[in-house]
Amino acid sequence: MAKTGTTTQGLRAAIERSGYYPALVAEAVEAAVGGEQIASYLVHQETTFDSNEVRRHVTVLVLTGNRFIVSHTDEQTADSGSPTPYATTSTESVKLDRISSVVVSRVVANPESYTPGTLPREVVLTIGWGAVSRLDLEPAACGDPNCDADHGYTGNSTADDLSLRVSEAGDGPDTVRQTLAFAQALSEATAATGTAASAPTATTR
């Protein structure tokens, strides 16, 4: 389930419609947003299966004029540290100028007959701001198939702070559409922030 929109009232309603501890989730998100005006938001709930247990998880993404806010809420079963089930909610606030990448990966069926405007069957939204990076290494080579020298390692560092996957089959076409809409709003906001930061400052004498 995913909902997107541009008002505080709409955000609260979307959280309540998700049905996932709405009072807890809404309080955490609204405290993080504070008095800022909401430009866009996305509420996404997913259910996972862990052995014989069913667990729910909700992610709330909020875009304001200056910040990107992400909230995660997970439910946990009773364990040695807690005799009763419990939920954990975390929020992180990121300034827009810290966001280094907004990656939208689309999976499209029958690409040879693709029509512009057709929804992908799956979308993965990956957002990076430098808090978490993934390093993929592999042995380096010189191109000589007979060379057995040690050339060290080569690899790529990829920002991978948040990755959210939605599919038409599992979440519905509206969820896919809303995820794309939020991704576009975030991309445009970060581009505008970058343009403003690089603009020359006028001086007077």
Side-chain angles (χ1 to χ4, degrees):
M1 176 186 297
K3 298 294 179 184
T4 187
T6 57
T7 66
T8 302
Q9 294 81 3
L11 172 59
R12 183 61 181 260
I15 292 174
E16 291 177 351
R17 283 195 298 271
S18 75
Y20 184 87
Y21 307 125
L24 173 65
V25 175
E27 181 179 51
V29 172
E30 290 172 359
V33 173
E36 288 193 63
Q37 184 175 354
I38 294 174
S40 186
Y41 63 80
L42 178 68
V43 179
H44 179 250
Q45 181 187 315
E46 60 181 340
T47 302
T48 59
F49 299 91
D50 184 7
S51 299
N52 296 324
E53 297 178 353
V54 178
R55 294 185 179 180
R56 295 179 298 166
H57 172 86
V58 66
T59 299
V60 181
L61 309 180
V62 181
L63 174 64
T64 72
N66 300 304
R67 296 182 296 152
F68 165 69
I69 298 166
V70 55
S71 173
H72 296 290
T73 302
D74 295 278
E75 62 181 2
Q76 307 290 338
T77 57
D79 54 31
S80 59
S82 174
T84 60
Y86 61 98
T88 302
T89 298
S90 64
T91 59
E92 183 171 1
S93 174
V94 183
K95 290 184 177 181
L96 289 179
D97 59 8
R98 283 185 53 202
I99 295 180
S100 56
S101 65
V102 179
V103 182
V104 180
S105 300
R106 308 171 187 233
V107 178
V108 178
N110 303 314
E112 70 280 358
S113 58
Y114 176 76
T115 301
T118 302
L119 282 178
R121 72 181 187 187
E122 181 179 313
V123 170
V124 179
L125 172 61
T126 304
I127 304 169
W129 56 90
V132 178
S133 295
R134 183 179 69 251
L135 186 62
D136 298 318
L137 294 176
E138 62 182 16
C142 66
D144 182 354
N146 298 318
C147 179
D148 58 2
D150 183 359
H151 296 284
Y153 290 85
T154 183
N156 296 306
S157 177
T158 305
D160 194 14
D161 296 292
L162 171 72
S163 185
L164 187 148
R165 174 185 174 275
V166 298
S167 67
E168 186 176 14
D171 303 288
D174 285 345
T175 299
V176 175
R177 185 177 297 107
Q178 291 155 1
T179 302
L180 290 172
F182 182 86
Q184 180 176 348
L186 181 60
S187 294
E188 292 175 350
T190 55
T193 300
T195 301
S198 61
T201 304
T203 58
T204 58
R205 294 174 180 263

